[in-house]
Amino acid sequence: MKKVTAPAIIDLKGKRKITAITAYDYSSGQIADAAEVDMILVGDSLGMVVLGYEDTLSVTMEDMLHHTAAVSRGASRALIIGDMPFMSYQPSVSMAVENAGKFLSKTGARAVKLEGGFPFLEHVRAIVSSGVPVQGHIGLTPQHVARFGGFKAQGKTARSAAALVDEALALEAAGCFSIVLEAIPSEVAQEITNRVSIPTIGIGAGPDTDGQILVYHDILGLFDRFVPMFVKKFAQLRGDSIGAIKTYCDEVFAGEFPGKENFTNMNADELKIFKTLLMENNKN
């Protein structure tokens, strides 16, 4: 099975839509890979989906390296992208390069993603120059949620939309191999997609981007703490999972589980010897 690479993703622009999924562990990596998803982003959204935080700001490099390595062990085909968490790249260019390198050397990822445009162009250039492919991310960038005043759509005014177009072009010039466009008007996403020569990956950005990305738990209906407008649940596994676990509990209460098919028995001769040994031990 041919492994997906950053250059291969670039080559898909204009040929077919690109599929991406955000996943966080070995099993989800395996499943996404078996479904032949092009890219698996190990997102810092694991802070909310897996670790139960209110936002992504508490996620650490250690968290990201741990989960990215787990996904990489499960996926052998898809391009694995490590999401650079809050304050892993913002303080300095040298820190950005060092931490980006850790994703490739320690986790098996073959690219990184970082949020933001103009303030981080030098960071992107340096990371790319070091040999690490970079995926950009503009629009609603969750690490900037404090500045935005919440998880709010971006680019809804003419000036802010034009700024997003300029930012996308700047990220392309800095060397990004693709750009995530999150929670921006579809017209703006379409304009950016038409103007850049690298793929755009949309989430809440309409149908005209080069590809789409959704979170594994959202696709499968496993997470319901909040459901953004742009999420479509392709299954309802949370309800099925609760029902399955409830049935398990009921069968344990009723003595129906485990059944004969779920455990093993000793050979009759060995059982006889075993009981004899126990009797002898009790005498001593």
Side-chain angles (χ1 to χ4, degrees), residues 118-200:
F118 292 123
F120 305 111
L121 297 180
E122 187 179 354
H123 301 61
V124 172
R125 282 190 287 266
I127 295 171
V128 172
S129 294
S130 75
V132 181
V134 175
Q135 181 175 73
H137 182 168
I138 59 175
L140 171 56
T141 47
Q143 291 178 20
H144 300 88
V145 66
R147 178 163 62 86
F148 294 154
F151 293 93
K152 299 178 179 179
Q154 302 297 304
K156 297 176 73 172
T157 67
R159 289 188 181 278
S160 62
L164 285 174
V165 174
D166 291 341
E167 207 161 34
L169 290 167
L171 284 170
E172 177 188 15
C176 285
F177 76 92
S178 62
I179 306 174
V180 172
L181 307 178
E182 181 169 355
I184 67 174
S186 60
E187 298 88 349
V188 182
Q190 183 180 36
E191 193 65 40
I192 291 172
T193 302
N194 291 340
R195 285 173 176 256
V196 298
S197 61
I198 56 175
T200 58

Side-chain angles (χ1 to χ4, degrees), residues 72-107:
S72 294
R73 288 191 289 269
S76 59
R77 175 188 173 275
L79 175 62
I80 308 297
I81 305 170
D83 204 0
M84 298 191 69
F86 185 58
M87 287 299 151
S88 68
Y89 62 93
Q90 289 93 336
S92 70
V93 172
S94 61
M95 178 185 286
V97 172
E98 180 181 357
N99 283 328
K102 288 179 180 178
F103 278 103
L104 270 65
S105 65
K106 295 181 181 294
T107 74

Side-chain angles (χ1 to χ4, degrees), residues 31-49:
I31 291 169
D33 211 43
E36 298 188 353
V37 168
D38 296 314
M39 297 186 289
I40 301 176
L41 170 67
V42 187
D44 62 359
S45 51
L46 71 86
M48 294 179 288
V49 178

